[in-house]
Amino acid sequence: MIKISERLGRVEYAIRDIILHAREYQKSGNKLLYLNIGDPVAFDFKTPLHIKHALIDAINKDNDYYTDSEGWPELRQSIVKKESRKKGLDITSEDVLVTNGVSEGLDMVMGSIIEEKDEILLPGPYYPPYSSYAKFYGANIKEFKILDDGRPDIDDIRKKITNKSKAICLINPNNPTGEVFDSKGLQSILDIASENNLYVICDEIYDEIVFGDSFYPIGKVSKDAPVILLNGFSKTYCMTGLRCGYVCMNSSSRQLDSLRQNIFKLSRVRIASNFPVQIAANAALNGPQDHILKMVQKLNKRRDLVVKRLNEFTEITCKKPKGAFYVFPKIDLQNKWKNDLDFVIDMLNSTGVLTVHGSGFGLSGSNHFRIVYLPQENVLEEALEKIDMFLKKKKGF
Ligand code: PLP
């Protein structure tokens, strides 16, 4: 056997790792209910027709060659329209890098800024690739607290900053909790970052999947702070499998000049992101947007159903998320389960309901689990009924 790199051993992704347990369960021939992956297209949210047509048309017109490494100029312009004119971040198309999904953008940003033993501050709990990419490039993770009212714990952030700190990451709305930051919370993080010469990496992939008007874009308070915004088409435009996202670097920030001048080198190494998909993404930004409201209305009902039902179980407490499509209930493990992973596996093996253990989202995710509420109401009801029976059986009823 030839040795692999030590750094590969630092990578994990709970959301997909749990599938290994599901495969074992499937061998029993029993039905699985997938509440583990946040892919709207796998449920009843399909890519809008005008986006599909733009993609097919692009291929039929032979627009399937390599395009510019930074991204197709027309799409970069449309991204500026959304992120700058609509959401307030100061950018021109020169500050935009189009990537094969937010995931690739995150990889490129982390790879461009991290040195061995740097520290990356993440909001606990967080979307796992943030820690995996950071660790892969040699950084250590410092998790900061989010208070019960959804605000970042500023004192905790200050305590965790050291001379090794490199960046503060924000996921807004958050995966897995569905929390959103208000303008005050964002402002205080930007102040700390500017004072300490730290990058702010902010992921707004769920910016349009919010209930009510609770979402506040970071662009509106960024001024000249070193903000790197990540966004993409997977969720709002139901384009998960098509893979398109982007990185925007605040034009007004001089602290970002070096990154701005150098990150495009990485984009050239991987040549370009998928050209026909970029044409489809451009159609997504410029075409009808009415599917978004319909999606949010459907999700609103599903969220309310799941939160209400979960709170009826004595072992579970569940906050109402303000955005995205996840709930992150707390489970009272008592002495029935060793930890949240044990709980999730036991529930999977007893009911076929597949969720994700909270500790996969960082230390502060312990004693929680994540449910994706994208499935239709009848599937959610079936899953919740099974969870109810499972909990009752454990109590000896
Ligand atoms: N960022 C967050 C916060 C996510 O929850 C996800 C997917 O679940 C992604 C990024 C992945 O985005 P993409 O499909 O554009 O790679």
Side-chain angles (χ1 to χ4, degrees):
M1 199 161 57
I2 307 177
K3 212 169 149 255
I4 54 154
S5 73
E6 183 270 324
R7 86 177 79 84
L8 187 57
R10 304 174 204 151
V11 172
E12 57 188 344
Y13 189 43
I15 300 166
R16 284 181 178 259
D17 294 348
I18 196 78
I19 303 259
L20 301 178
H21 296 279
R23 284 204 191 119
E24 273 306 304
Y25 175 82
Q26 245 170 348
K27 285 186 195 155
S28 68
N30 291 325
K31 180 173 156 190
L32 255 178
L33 289 175
Y34 290 93
L35 304 186
N36 64 318
I37 292 191
D39 184 349
V41 191
F43 300 95
D44 60 334
F45 303 94
K46 299 301 174 197
T47 319
L49 272 184
H50 65 282
I51 302 176
K52 288 186 191 173
H53 287 151
L55 177 66
I56 294 163
D57 207 37
I59 296 172
N60 283 336
K61 288 185 175 149
D62 296 321
N63 284 321
D64 51 359
Y65 49 89
Y66 292 143
T67 185
D68 304 25
S69 299
E70 303 80 8
W72 183 43
E74 283 186 43
L75 175 60
R76 289 171 93 199
Q77 276 301 343
S78 301
I79 291 167
V80 171
K81 239 190 333 188
K82 169 169 174 164
E83 296 300 346
S84 180
R85 281 184 236 153
K86 210 167 134 201
K87 291 173 61 194
L89 185 68
D90 180 25
I91 46 163
T92 69
S93 54
E94 299 296 298
D95 304 299
V96 177
L97 165 60
V98 180
T99 55
N100 291 303
V102 168
S103 310
E104 189 193 37
L106 178 63
D107 183 3
M108 285 191 187
V109 169
M110 294 283 192
S112 303
I113 66 172
I114 289 174
E115 307 274 14
E116 281 289 323
K117 306 269 185 296
D118 275 353
E119 289 169 1
I120 303 292
L121 286 107
L122 297 179
Y126 53 78
Y127 176 57
Y130 279 79
S131 71
S132 281
Y133 281 127
K135 288 183 192 163
F136 186 73
Y137 289 110
N140 293 314
I141 300 305
K142 290 268 182 93
E143 216 171 302
F144 62 87
K145 279 192 212 131
I146 302 297
L147 301 167
D148 279 344
D149 62 3
R151 291 238 169 106
D153 185 335
I154 299 303
D155 296 333
D156 192 42
I157 297 181
R158 284 199 190 282
K159 266 190 249 153
K160 288 186 173 148
I161 290 177
T162 70
N163 58 2
K164 294 274 182 206
S165 305
K166 183 54 75 64
I168 303 182
C169 298
L170 304 174
I171 301 145
N172 189 36
N174 186 275
N175 173 4
T177 60
E179 284 289 6
V180 294
F181 290 121
D182 62 11
S183 60
K184 241 172 121 181
L186 289 170
Q187 185 65 65
S188 10
I189 290 179
L190 291 176
D191 292 343
I192 302 178
S194 293
E195 277 162 36
N196 291 280
N197 218 25
L198 303 178
Y199 292 104
V200 177
I201 302 171
C202 185
D203 181 330
E204 293 187 352
I205 196 167
Y206 299 102
D207 59 355
E208 310 237 24
I209 304 177
V210 276
F211 310 106
D213 54 1
S214 49
F215 173 71
Y216 198 88
I218 196 159
K220 291 208 169 144
V221 278
S222 288
K223 294 192 194 100
D224 62 353
V227 171
I228 304 163
L229 177 71
L230 303 179
N231 206 344
F233 297 87
S234 290
K235 315 290 176 171
T236 306
Y237 295 101
C238 302
M239 291 172 65
T240 41
L242 297 179
R243 314 304 302 129
C244 195
Y246 51 90
V247 179
C248 301
M249 293 161 281
N250 185 4
S251 243
S252 308
S253 167
R254 298 289 59 84
Q255 286 164 300
L256 288 184
D257 282 348
S258 182
L259 178 69
R260 202 183 337 264
Q261 284 152 20
N262 290 285
I263 194 169
F264 294 106
K265 285 190 219 163
L266 264 185
S267 74
R268 283 175 226 136
V269 174
R270 64 80 162 104
I271 303 183
S273 67
N274 187 318
F275 186 24
V277 170
Q278 291 192 60
I279 294 173
N282 196 45
L285 287 179
N286 293 304
Q289 305 290 307
D290 49 314
H291 73 280
I292 303 174
L293 182 63
K294 288 187 196 137
M295 183 180 191
V296 172
Q297 282 169 343
K298 273 207 261 185
L299 287 172
N300 201 337
K301 280 202 196 133
R302 295 177 195 184
R303 171 193 69 159
D304 289 354
L305 180 158
V306 170
V307 172
K308 181 170 175 288
R309 191 82 173 91
L310 284 171
N311 280 319
E312 286 167 10
F313 307 149
T314 43
E315 301 84 346
I316 288 176
T317 32
C318 183
K319 277 177 85 174
K320 209 176 209 182
K322 295 189 181 126
F325 30 66
Y326 313 98
V327 284
F328 200 60
K330 187 165 190 202
I331 171 87
D332 180 4
L333 297 169
Q334 299 160 4
N335 51 4
K336 297 189 190 108
W337 300 279
K338 286 197 294 281
N339 51 40
D340 48 279
L341 177 61
D342 189 33
F343 166 77
V344 160
I345 294 172
D346 189 16
M347 186 159 74
L348 166 68
N349 290 332
S350 314
T351 64
V353 177
L354 180 61
T355 59
V356 186
H357 50 294
S359 50
F361 300 84
L363 284 177
S364 44
S366 304
N367 298 355
H368 290 74
F369 62 111
R370 192 190 76 168
I371 293 182
V372 171
Y373 58 83
L374 285 164
Q376 289 179 337
E377 275 95 329
N378 61 328
V379 179
L380 291 171
E381 271 158 8
E382 186 184 346
L384 288 158
E385 194 52 38
K386 288 184 171 190
I387 296 176
D388 189 16
M389 303 281 282
F390 166 68
L391 293 171
K392 281 189 178 135
K393 213 163 148 196
K394 282 279 158 186
K395 276 195 279 211
F397 288 164

PDB file of all heavy atoms in Angstrom, residues 2 25-26 35 63 98 111 150 153 189 200 232 246 252 262 280 301 313 341 394:
ATOM      1  N   ILE A   2       0.570   2.207  -0.867  1.00  0.00           N
ATOM      2  CA  ILE A   2       1.348   3.455  -0.897  1.00  0.00           C
ATOM      3  C   ILE A   2       0.648   4.466   0.011  1.00  0.00           C
ATOM      4  O   ILE A   2      -0.578   4.569   0.012  1.00  0.00           O
ATOM      5  CB  ILE A   2       1.478   4.001  -2.336  1.00  0.00           C
ATOM      6  CG1 ILE A   2       2.033   2.914  -3.252  1.00  0.00           C
ATOM      7  CG2 ILE A   2       2.364   5.246  -2.368  1.00  0.00           C
ATOM      8  CD1 ILE A   2       2.131   3.300  -4.707  1.00  0.00           C
ATOM      9  N   TYR A  25     -28.102  -0.437   6.583  1.00  0.00           N
ATOM     10  CA  TYR A  25     -29.519  -0.607   6.912  1.00  0.00           C
ATOM     11  C   TYR A  25     -30.291  -1.099   5.690  1.00  0.00           C
ATOM     12  O   TYR A  25     -31.160  -1.954   5.782  1.00  0.00           O
ATOM     13  CB  TYR A  25     -30.100   0.733   7.418  1.00  0.00           C
ATOM     14  CG  TYR A  25     -31.584   0.682   7.665  1.00  0.00           C
ATOM     15  CD1 TYR A  25     -32.092   0.156   8.854  1.00  0.00           C
ATOM     16  CD2 TYR A  25     -32.490   1.144   6.706  1.00  0.00           C
ATOM     17  CE1 TYR A  25     -33.461   0.092   9.075  1.00  0.00           C
ATOM     18  CE2 TYR A  25     -33.854   1.091   6.923  1.00  0.00           C
ATOM     19  CZ  TYR A  25     -34.339   0.563   8.102  1.00  0.00           C
ATOM     20  OH  TYR A  25     -35.697   0.502   8.314  1.00  0.00           O
ATOM     21  N   GLN A  26     -29.928  -0.522   4.522  1.00  0.00           N
ATOM     22  CA  GLN A  26     -30.643  -0.859   3.289  1.00  0.00           C
ATOM     23  C   GLN A  26     -30.565  -2.338   2.966  1.00  0.00           C
ATOM     24  O   GLN A  26     -31.486  -2.895   2.364  1.00  0.00           O
ATOM     25  CB  GLN A  26     -30.063  -0.060   2.128  1.00  0.00           C
ATOM     26  CG  GLN A  26     -31.086   0.910   1.582  1.00  0.00           C
ATOM     27  CD  GLN A  26     -30.461   1.875   0.598  1.00  0.00           C
ATOM     28  OE1 GLN A  26     -29.242   1.971   0.487  1.00  0.00           O
ATOM     29  NE2 GLN A  26     -31.297   2.579  -0.123  1.00  0.00           N
ATOM     30  N   LEU A  35     -33.693  12.140   5.366  1.00  0.00           N
ATOM     31  CA  LEU A  35     -33.846  13.510   5.870  1.00  0.00           C
ATOM     32  C   LEU A  35     -32.451  14.064   6.158  1.00  0.00           C
ATOM     33  O   LEU A  35     -32.246  14.794   7.119  1.00  0.00           O
ATOM     34  CB  LEU A  35     -34.687  13.534   7.151  1.00  0.00           C
ATOM     35  CG  LEU A  35     -36.080  12.908   7.108  1.00  0.00           C
ATOM     36  CD1 LEU A  35     -36.825  13.161   8.418  1.00  0.00           C
ATOM     37  CD2 LEU A  35     -36.915  13.461   5.971  1.00  0.00           C
ATOM     38  N   ASN A  63     -21.974  26.138 -27.305  1.00  0.00           N
ATOM     39  CA  ASN A  63     -21.314  26.934 -26.266  1.00  0.00           C
ATOM     40  C   ASN A  63     -20.841  26.015 -25.142  1.00  0.00           C
ATOM     41  O   ASN A  63     -21.210  26.183 -23.969  1.00  0.00           O
ATOM     42  CB  ASN A  63     -22.278  27.997 -25.722  1.00  0.00           C
ATOM     43  CG  ASN A  63     -22.438  29.139 -26.689  1.00  0.00           C
ATOM     44  OD1 ASN A  63     -21.470  29.565 -27.317  1.00  0.00           O
ATOM     45  ND2 ASN A  63     -23.660  29.621 -26.845  1.00  0.00           N
ATOM     46  N   VAL A  98     -16.132  33.059 -10.756  1.00  0.00           N
ATOM     47  CA  VAL A  98     -17.186  32.038 -10.870  1.00  0.00           C
ATOM     48  C   VAL A  98     -16.556  30.658 -10.669  1.00  0.00           C
ATOM     49  O   VAL A  98     -15.487  30.374 -11.213  1.00  0.00           O
ATOM     50  CB  VAL A  98     -17.898  32.116 -12.243  1.00  0.00           C
ATOM     51  CG1 VAL A  98     -18.992  31.054 -12.337  1.00  0.00           C
ATOM     52  CG2 VAL A  98     -18.483  33.511 -12.468  1.00  0.00           C
ATOM     53  N   GLY A 111      -7.551  27.714   0.375  1.00  0.00           N
ATOM     54  CA  GLY A 111      -6.223  27.381  -0.152  1.00  0.00           C
ATOM     55  C   GLY A 111      -5.377  28.626  -0.386  1.00  0.00           C
ATOM     56  O   GLY A 111      -4.146  28.562  -0.322  1.00  0.00           O
ATOM     57  N   GLY A 150     -29.612  34.253  18.674  1.00  0.00           N
ATOM     58  CA  GLY A 150     -29.083  34.166  17.304  1.00  0.00           C
ATOM     59  C   GLY A 150     -27.910  35.109  17.051  1.00  0.00           C
ATOM     60  O   GLY A 150     -27.330  35.104  15.972  1.00  0.00           O
ATOM     61  N   ASP A 153     -21.606  35.715  19.847  1.00  0.00           N
ATOM     62  CA  ASP A 153     -21.100  36.115  21.163  1.00  0.00           C
ATOM     63  C   ASP A 153     -19.758  36.844  20.951  1.00  0.00           C
ATOM     64  O   ASP A 153     -18.707  36.213  20.785  1.00  0.00           O
ATOM     65  CB  ASP A 153     -20.921  34.855  22.030  1.00  0.00           C
ATOM     66  CG  ASP A 153     -20.511  35.199  23.447  1.00  0.00           C
ATOM     67  OD1 ASP A 153     -19.919  36.286  23.643  1.00  0.00           O
ATOM     68  OD2 ASP A 153     -20.774  34.380  24.353  1.00  0.00           O
ATOM     69  N   ILE A 189     -18.963  41.910  14.124  1.00  0.00           N
ATOM     70  CA  ILE A 189     -17.957  40.971  13.610  1.00  0.00           C
ATOM     71  C   ILE A 189     -17.013  41.687  12.634  1.00  0.00           C
ATOM     72  O   ILE A 189     -15.792  41.504  12.673  1.00  0.00           O
ATOM     73  CB  ILE A 189     -18.633  39.762  12.936  1.00  0.00           C
ATOM     74  CG1 ILE A 189     -19.288  38.907  14.020  1.00  0.00           C
ATOM     75  CG2 ILE A 189     -17.633  38.934  12.137  1.00  0.00           C
ATOM     76  CD1 ILE A 189     -20.021  37.703  13.541  1.00  0.00           C
ATOM     77  N   VAL A 200     -13.064  38.132   6.476  1.00  0.00           N
ATOM     78  CA  VAL A 200     -14.413  37.671   6.843  1.00  0.00           C
ATOM     79  C   VAL A 200     -14.943  36.906   5.636  1.00  0.00           C
ATOM     80  O   VAL A 200     -15.113  37.482   4.558  1.00  0.00           O
ATOM     81  CB  VAL A 200     -15.352  38.855   7.141  1.00  0.00           C
ATOM     82  CG1 VAL A 200     -16.756  38.346   7.451  1.00  0.00           C
ATOM     83  CG2 VAL A 200     -14.820  39.676   8.295  1.00  0.00           C
ATOM     84  N   GLY A 232     -24.182  31.048  -4.468  1.00  0.00           N
ATOM     85  CA  GLY A 232     -24.301  30.105  -5.576  1.00  0.00           C
ATOM     86  C   GLY A 232     -25.738  29.827  -5.955  1.00  0.00           C
ATOM     87  O   GLY A 232     -26.664  30.446  -5.429  1.00  0.00           O
ATOM     88  N   TYR A 246     -20.012  31.312  -6.771  1.00  0.00           N
ATOM     89  CA  TYR A 246     -19.058  32.396  -7.027  1.00  0.00           C
ATOM     90  C   TYR A 246     -18.492  32.973  -5.738  1.00  0.00           C
ATOM     91  O   TYR A 246     -19.057  32.798  -4.647  1.00  0.00           O
ATOM     92  CB  TYR A 246     -19.699  33.503  -7.862  1.00  0.00           C
ATOM     93  CG  TYR A 246     -21.031  34.032  -7.366  1.00  0.00           C
ATOM     94  CD1 TYR A 246     -21.106  35.091  -6.479  1.00  0.00           C
ATOM     95  CD2 TYR A 246     -22.222  33.460  -7.808  1.00  0.00           C
ATOM     96  CE1 TYR A 246     -22.332  35.589  -6.040  1.00  0.00           C
ATOM     97  CE2 TYR A 246     -23.449  33.943  -7.369  1.00  0.00           C
ATOM     98  CZ  TYR A 246     -23.512  35.011  -6.491  1.00  0.00           C
ATOM     99  OH  TYR A 246     -24.718  35.487  -6.054  1.00  0.00           O
ATOM    100  N   SER A 252     -13.861  47.798  -2.004  1.00  0.00           N
ATOM    101  CA  SER A 252     -13.385  48.910  -1.175  1.00  0.00           C
ATOM    102  C   SER A 252     -12.316  48.498  -0.184  1.00  0.00           C
ATOM    103  O   SER A 252     -11.759  49.342   0.502  1.00  0.00           O
ATOM    104  CB  SER A 252     -14.542  49.500  -0.352  1.00  0.00           C
ATOM    105  OG  SER A 252     -15.597  49.809  -1.167  1.00  0.00           O
ATOM    106  N   ASN A 262      -4.155  37.572  -6.652  1.00  0.00           N
ATOM    107  CA  ASN A 262      -3.571  36.231  -6.761  1.00  0.00           C
ATOM    108  C   ASN A 262      -4.529  35.061  -6.889  1.00  0.00           C
ATOM    109  O   ASN A 262      -4.156  34.028  -7.442  1.00  0.00           O
ATOM    110  CB  ASN A 262      -2.629  35.994  -5.572  1.00  0.00           C
ATOM    111  CG  ASN A 262      -1.387  36.848  -5.700  1.00  0.00           C
ATOM    112  OD1 ASN A 262      -0.517  36.533  -6.506  1.00  0.00           O
ATOM    113  ND2 ASN A 262      -1.322  37.953  -4.966  1.00  0.00           N
ATOM    114  N   ALA A 280     -26.724  28.963 -18.089  1.00  0.00           N
ATOM    115  CA  ALA A 280     -27.981  28.676 -17.380  1.00  0.00           C
ATOM    116  C   ALA A 280     -28.086  29.528 -16.105  1.00  0.00           C
ATOM    117  O   ALA A 280     -29.162  30.045 -15.766  1.00  0.00           O
ATOM    118  CB  ALA A 280     -28.047  27.190 -17.037  1.00  0.00           C
ATOM    119  N   LYS A 301     -44.535  25.972   5.463  1.00  0.00           N
ATOM    120  CA  LYS A 301     -45.512  25.007   5.999  1.00  0.00           C
ATOM    121  C   LYS A 301     -44.805  23.778   6.561  1.00  0.00           C
ATOM    122  O   LYS A 301     -45.153  23.286   7.633  1.00  0.00           O
ATOM    123  CB  LYS A 301     -46.443  24.531   4.871  1.00  0.00           C
ATOM    124  CG  LYS A 301     -47.542  25.499   4.545  1.00  0.00           C
ATOM    125  CD  LYS A 301     -48.674  24.736   3.845  1.00  0.00           C
ATOM    126  CE  LYS A 301     -49.601  25.718   3.161  1.00  0.00           C
ATOM    127  NZ  LYS A 301     -49.921  25.343   1.786  1.00  0.00           N
ATOM    128  N   PHE A 313     -42.515  16.053  21.612  1.00  0.00           N
ATOM    129  CA  PHE A 313     -41.771  14.939  22.215  1.00  0.00           C
ATOM    130  C   PHE A 313     -40.998  15.465  23.423  1.00  0.00           C
ATOM    131  O   PHE A 313     -40.235  16.430  23.289  1.00  0.00           O
ATOM    132  CB  PHE A 313     -40.783  14.318  21.210  1.00  0.00           C
ATOM    133  CG  PHE A 313     -41.392  13.916  19.890  1.00  0.00           C
ATOM    134  CD1 PHE A 313     -40.654  13.949  18.716  1.00  0.00           C
ATOM    135  CD2 PHE A 313     -42.715  13.488  19.821  1.00  0.00           C
ATOM    136  CE1 PHE A 313     -41.212  13.575  17.495  1.00  0.00           C
ATOM    137  CE2 PHE A 313     -43.282  13.115  18.603  1.00  0.00           C
ATOM    138  CZ  PHE A 313     -42.532  13.165  17.447  1.00  0.00           C
ATOM    139  N   LEU A 341     -24.394  10.738  17.890  1.00  0.00           N
ATOM    140  CA  LEU A 341     -24.175   9.805  16.774  1.00  0.00           C
ATOM    141  C   LEU A 341     -24.857   8.466  17.086  1.00  0.00           C
ATOM    142  O   LEU A 341     -25.538   7.880  16.238  1.00  0.00           O
ATOM    143  CB  LEU A 341     -22.674   9.602  16.529  1.00  0.00           C
ATOM    144  CG  LEU A 341     -22.315   8.602  15.430  1.00  0.00           C
ATOM    145  CD1 LEU A 341     -22.875   9.037  14.080  1.00  0.00           C
ATOM    146  CD2 LEU A 341     -20.795   8.413  15.313  1.00  0.00           C
ATOM    147  N   LYS A 394     -38.383   3.382  23.490  1.00  0.00           N
ATOM    148  CA  LYS A 394     -37.196   3.531  24.339  1.00  0.00           C
ATOM    149  C   LYS A 394     -37.590   3.782  25.796  1.00  0.00           C
ATOM    150  O   LYS A 394     -36.869   3.435  26.716  1.00  0.00           O
ATOM    151  CB  LYS A 394     -36.337   4.699  23.847  1.00  0.00           C
ATOM    152  CG  LYS A 394     -35.523   4.362  22.641  1.00  0.00           C
ATOM    153  CD  LYS A 394     -34.272   3.603  23.051  1.00  0.00           C
ATOM    154  CE  LYS A 394     -33.736   2.795  21.880  1.00  0.00           C
ATOM    155  NZ  LYS A 394     -32.619   1.946  22.250  1.00  0.00           N
TER     156      LYS A 394
END
